[in-house]
Amino acid sequence: MAGPEVEPEGAVKGLRLAVRVESWPIRGGFTISRGAKHEAVVVVAELDDVSHMGRGECVPYERYGESVEGVVAALEACTAPIGLGLSRPELASLLPAGAARNALDCALWDLEAKRSGQSAARLAGIAPLRAVTTAFTISLDTPEAMAGRAREASAYPLLKLKLGGDGDEERLAAVREAVPAAHLLVDANEAWRPEQIEPLLAAAAQARVELVEQPLPAGHDDLLQHIARPVPVCADESVHDRASLQRLAGRYDAVNVKLDKTGGLTEALLTVAEARALGLKIMVGSMVATSLAMAPALLLAQDADWVDLDGPLLLARDREPGLTYASGQVLPPSPALWG
């Protein structure tokens, strides 16, 4: 019996779509300037052609107007187009950039890899994947608590500190004293006020921070192009996909590319290429999620300036098989996980 008809660009006719919501406890909680959470709620899309299954995982994010229920509904509405052979490029006309499209796009990449017997990296024209150094995230807390966690994480050469505005100078000084040799990134998650930006950038420079991520609220970040930036500044909430890159000129030095923002690997690869053409450096990041969400981002991480794919390390447990983390690095995924 002939198998499902294969169309260009990863389209396969006769696919069945299954959507599942999963909850993964976070070890000790995760705190940023917008609040704390104790579980990672993810949505998994599975595409099945009877002989092969492709999977993708996404994290609906309230900050971007998403909900678990809304993402599930958006995915389930794609059942008929998927069955008729919807391709990856066609997803952009069916779903906006965001979590739902990410899950489907990554599932299509995974399915295409498994059906072809080739890795997703090879299908994307990328050399065989290698291990990359990832940041390990220290949640927002008191200076003393953050310094203590930084010491506990001293095996990781790159640490990312979640900051919150008031008290950040003390947090930076305490962590730098605790781990004098560590490479530091910081992420304010839009928490710095305009009057804080210059003194806090100066404090970051004093602490030898390599990158400051999203200090000001998205949409109110024009101030960045009118001040000196002694530390490179990276856009996160201010950038989603290619369409959002042009307005960053003069404000940011780098962009944080996340699959849940771009709507999957297809758009993320294009976003990275355009950002590079604009002279922007690249951070590859993710939401707190399992290894299934991190695996596709490792294709982007191969040529990134900074990598922040530590989501599974923040969970009480990860899915199996998961990614392997060793000596501050994350290793390429096995085909059984993704790609």
Side-chain angles (χ1 to χ4, degrees):
M1 179 183 295
E5 181 181 348
V6 180
E7 301 290 342
E9 305 283 7
V12 183
K13 289 186 177 179
L15 286 180
R16 293 175 297 184
L17 169 65
V19 181
R20 185 173 64 255
V21 177
E22 298 175 348
S23 177
W24 297 83
I26 296 174
R27 183 186 295 112
F30 183 72
T31 303
I32 66 172
S33 62
R34 281 189 286 272
K37 64 178 183 177
H38 298 278
E39 63 176 356
V41 180
V42 307
V43 179
V44 176
E46 295 178 342
L47 296 176
D48 183 0
D49 73 357
V50 179
S51 298
H52 305 87
M53 178 182 289
R55 301 185 301 166
E57 176 181 316
C58 71
V59 182
Y61 196 30
E62 185 178 2
R63 167 66 180 80
Y64 301 140
E66 298 175 331
S67 67
V68 172
E69 297 77 14
V71 166
V72 169
L75 287 170
E76 290 178 340
C78 297
T79 300
I82 285 290
L84 292 173
L86 184 76
S87 68
R88 282 188 283 103
E90 291 170 337
L91 276 177
S93 63
L94 186 67
L95 292 171
R101 196 169 92 199
N102 176 31
L104 267 186
D105 181 78
C106 290
L108 282 167
W109 275 100
D110 189 30
L111 181 67
E112 186 177 352
K114 289 179 168 56
R115 285 175 53 83
S116 68
Q118 302 181 68
S119 69
R122 183 168 182 178
L123 293 172
I126 295 172
L129 301 185
R130 56 180 173 78
V132 295
T133 298
T134 179
F136 181 79
T137 303
I138 307 296
S139 286
L140 176 65
D141 209 324
T142 64
E144 297 76 18
M146 293 182 72
R149 292 194 186 107
R151 277 191 292 267
E152 293 169 1
S154 59
Y156 296 92
L158 180 63
L159 299 178
K160 179 174 174 177
L161 314 180
K162 291 291 188 177
L163 298 182
D166 294 338
D168 282 350
E169 291 185 34
E170 292 78 9
R171 293 183 179 99
L172 287 164
V175 170
R176 176 46 79 200
E177 182 178 2
V179 286
H183 295 268
L184 297 182
L185 313 175
V186 303
D187 184 3
N189 288 112
E190 306 179 281
W192 291 1
R193 299 188 300 274
E195 67 273 17
Q196 293 177 312
I197 187 74
E198 290 185 283
L200 287 179
L201 283 177
Q206 178 67 29
R208 306 194 315 279
V209 167
E210 296 182 10
L211 191 72
V212 173
E213 194 177 341
Q214 198 67 45
L216 295 170
H220 300 277
D221 47 10
D222 57 318
L223 175 62
L224 291 172
Q225 66 188 102
H226 302 296
I227 63 170
R229 300 194 294 271
V231 178
V233 179
C234 178
D236 183 2
E237 286 85 351
S238 288
V239 63
H240 291 261
D241 55 7
R242 283 175 294 166
S244 59
L245 287 174
Q246 289 293 337
R247 64 174 175 268
L248 304 183
R251 300 180 183 181
Y252 291 98
D253 308 289
V255 293
N256 187 340
V257 179
K258 296 178 179 175
L259 301 183
D260 275 315
K261 295 189 299 180
T262 63
L265 181 60
T266 302
E267 174 64 21
L269 290 165
L270 297 170
T271 301
V272 166
E274 186 161 329
R276 288 288 194 200
L278 292 170
L280 294 164
K281 291 190 173 183
I282 304 296
M283 171 187 275
V284 173
S286 69
M287 308 301 183
V288 180
T290 80
S291 286
L292 180 57
M294 308 297 128
L298 279 169
L299 276 69
L300 304 174
Q302 299 301 296
D303 191 38
D305 299 285
W306 301 276
V307 176
D308 180 24
L309 297 177
D310 65 340
L313 298 176
L314 306 177
L315 301 177
R317 60 183 178 86
D318 191 13
R319 68 175 72 248
E320 295 183 1
L323 291 169
T324 297
Y325 291 82
S327 302
Q329 292 193 315
V330 53
L331 279 62
S334 69
L337 172 62
W338 185 89

